[in-house]
Amino acid sequence: VNKQVFCVMQNRYSPPSVWLKEIVEKKIIGEVFIVQLNCYWNRDERYYTGKNWKGNQELDGGTLFTQFSHWIDLLYWLFGDIRDIQAKFADFNHKTLTEFEDSGIVSFRFNNGGIGTINYSTSVWDKNLESSITVIGSNGSLKVGGQYMDKVEYCHIKNYSMPELLPTAPANDYGAYKGSANNHHFVIRNVVDTLKGKTSMTTNALEGMKVVEIIERIYALRKPDRKS
C-alpha cells in the first residue's frame, strides 16, 4: 500500500524564508561564502518544571532537537548538507533542569561550498532574544532576524531592490514562553491538497530524517561531562 509521510516544517512558509530560498536558489546573492545561524532563546524553570519528558535525554533529545530543529531544517533547505563539523557545548544554567547542555557553538563546511556556524542557547534570561540567519555572498549580504526569523533586517545585494514581503504570522504563544511562527495551517493545507492530488508535499520523510541526522552528527561531538 502506498503511504505518504509528511513532516511539519512550518518555518519554510514564513515570507522571509520563502524570499531567502529564492535569493539563494537563483544565485541573486551569488556564491555563498559564509552563513551564520543564531538561535538565542529563553527556556527556564517555567518551561521544564513539572514536565516529565522535557529535559529528559531519552524523551526530549536535547536543545537542538526540541528548540532549534526547525531552524536547522531551514539551514539544510536553503544551503544543503554539511560536513567537517566541529563543536563546543556548555551548560550555563540548566544543570538542575535538564540532562543535556543548554548552549553550543558549531562550525562546518557546506557540501555546496562555503562555511557556516550555528550559535545557540536557551540560557537567555526571561524571554527569547533572536532567531537569525546572516548570509555573506559574492554579490552581497543579508540578515533575516527578529525573535523568530520573521523580518529582513539587512539586504544589500548588487543590482537588486528588496521587495515588500507579506507579514509574518505571529509566534505561537504558550504563556510563559513563545515558539516559532504559527504557520501550521499551511502544513495542514498542504497535506489535504496533496492527498487530493492537487499538489505535492512540501516536506517529505527523507528531509525530516536528514535534519535528525545532521543534529545527531553534531551531538556525536559531545563530551561526557557537562561543565561549561
Side-chain angles (χ1 to χ4, degrees):
V1 179
N2 183 35
K3 303 291 185 181
Q4 297 189 76
V5 180
F6 297 81
C7 292
V8 180
M9 297 299 187
Q10 75 277 5
N11 286 357
R12 295 186 182 192
Y13 288 97
S14 292
S17 300
V18 175
W19 169 78
L20 187 50
K21 180 73 168 176
E22 179 183 27
I23 291 293
V24 174
E25 280 199 340
K26 293 184 177 179
K27 292 191 176 295
I28 294 172
I29 199 166
E31 298 300 320
V32 173
F33 294 158
I34 299 174
V35 177
Q36 181 185 60
L37 175 66
N38 290 337
C39 298
Y40 298 131
W41 282 12
N42 162 268
R43 291 293 184 269
D44 53 26
E45 63 276 359
R46 295 171 294 182
Y47 177 82
Y48 288 106
T49 302
K51 309 298 191 300
N52 292 331
W53 70 270
K54 294 180 178 179
N56 180 284
Q57 177 64 62
E58 183 178 358
L59 300 178
D60 184 313
T63 305
L64 287 179
F65 277 118
T66 307
Q67 269 68 58
F68 302 133
S69 60
H70 288 296
W71 309 115
I72 294 178
D73 171 65
L74 284 184
L75 192 76
Y76 171 67
W77 183 55
L78 293 167
F79 305 103
D81 204 355
I82 63 175
R83 58 185 175 85
D84 298 342
I85 302 171
Q86 296 181 308
K88 294 184 182 297
F89 305 98
D91 194 2
F92 293 112
N93 57 15
H94 285 69
K95 293 180 178 64
T96 61
L97 296 174
T98 71
E99 297 177 356
F100 43 77
E101 85 297 330
D102 58 30
S103 307
I105 298 174
V106 185
S107 63
F108 47 84
R109 294 185 182 276
F110 290 104
N111 290 351
N112 295 330
I115 59 177
T117 58
I118 301 170
N119 306 295
Y120 71 93
S121 181
T122 53
S123 64
V124 176
W125 177 75
D126 192 48
K127 65 179 182 179
N128 296 343
L129 170 60
E130 73 168 349
S131 307
S132 70
I133 190 164
T134 300
V135 184
I136 310 298
S138 58
N139 288 343
S141 307
L142 61 85
K143 180 179 180 180
V144 179
Q147 285 194 40
Y148 313 102
M149 213 179 289
D150 54 351
K151 64 185 72 173
V152 179
E153 296 185 345
Y154 183 84
C155 177
H156 184 58
I157 301 174
K158 182 171 60 178
N159 300 323
Y160 181 78
S161 296
M162 179 72 203
E164 183 175 348
L165 304 182
L166 294 172
T168 303
N172 290 296
D173 193 335
Y174 303 103
Y177 63 93
K178 292 184 178 181
S180 54
N182 185 7
N183 291 320
H184 294 79
H185 59 290
F186 292 116
V187 177
I188 295 171
R189 183 185 304 166
N190 178 251
V191 171
V192 174
D193 288 346
T194 299
L195 295 178
K196 287 183 175 181
K198 295 180 179 180
T199 186
S200 58
M201 66 174 67
T202 55
T203 310
N204 60 46
L206 294 177
E207 290 180 291
M209 291 170 63
K210 190 64 183 182
V211 173
V212 171
E213 181 210 297
I214 289 172
I215 295 174
E216 287 180 337
R217 280 191 279 143
I218 293 172
Y219 275 162
L221 302 174
R222 279 170 164 169
K223 294 181 179 179
D225 66 86
R226 303 173 62 206
K227 296 179 181 179
S228 60

